[in-house]
Amino acid sequence: MPRIQGVDLPPNKPTHISLRYLRGIGPTTSIQLCRQVGVDPQRPAKELSEDEVARIAGLLDRDQYLVEGALRRTEQQNIERLIRIGSYRGTRHRRKLPVRGQRTKTNARTRKGKRITVAGKKGVKDLR
């Protein structure tokens, strides 16, 4: 089973599909990587030799592709910078609300989490 940047690539899928399991590598980049290394993109990943896997890993390191840990670190630093400078996007990140202009009255459950029921609103009469 090929292993690049600490990620096991699925062996039975074509190489260009398997490379997409690396965070930061999409469809276009995976095909470009295969062409630069000289690997058939349709060949299953389990048929890659150790040399070809090493060449792909070396190309990822040498050409300064941001993948896996470095990419996650960069994304987190960018979010922390937005929060630190107090931008609108930073405040949305800090409050765990949608950042890109989505509505929050009815949707945004993924970002906001489970509904929090406010008890005591309905049916309570004022005794004044």
Side-chain angles (χ1 to χ4, degrees):
M1 182 180 300
R3 190 172 177 85
I4 299 176
Q5 298 276 333
V7 175
D8 291 328
L9 301 180
N12 295 326
K13 296 190 181 215
T15 303
H16 74 99
I17 302 290
S18 294
L19 285 174
R20 294 186 205 178
Y21 280 71
L22 292 167
R23 183 175 174 88
I25 303 295
T28 306
T29 310
S30 67
I31 291 174
Q32 285 175 353
L33 284 171
C34 289
R35 291 214 173 109
Q36 286 176 345
V37 174
V39 174
D40 178 24
Q42 293 299 326
R43 203 165 94 201
K46 66 183 172 188
E47 294 178 7
L48 291 176
S49 67
E50 290 296 320
D51 180 48
E52 290 168 334
V53 172
R55 284 191 303 189
I56 292 172
L59 191 63
L60 287 173
D61 291 338
R62 189 175 62 244
D63 286 352
Q64 305 303 318
Y65 285 103
L66 279 179
V67 292
E68 289 301 321
L71 179 61
R72 290 177 204 274
R73 214 171 10 264
T74 303
E75 288 173 351
Q76 195 56 43
Q77 287 171 350
N78 289 340
I79 291 170
E80 287 171 7
R81 179 183 55 83
L82 289 171
I83 291 171
R84 191 173 55 249
I85 65 176
S87 69
Y88 178 78
R89 282 173 54 204
T91 57
R92 302 297 283 183
H93 275 293
R94 185 183 310 130
R95 296 171 64 190
K96 293 186 170 61
L97 291 170
V99 177
R100 298 185 177 178
Q102 297 92 332
R103 68 181 301 135
T104 57
K105 183 176 180 179
T106 55
N107 295 327
R109 277 292 131 212
T110 302
R111 188 77 176 152
K112 290 164 78 173
K114 265 183 96 65
R115 286 192 173 89
I116 302 168
T117 307
V118 179
K121 266 196 156 185
K122 202 171 190 179
V124 176
K125 294 186 177 168
D126 194 14
L127 300 172
R128 283 190 244 170

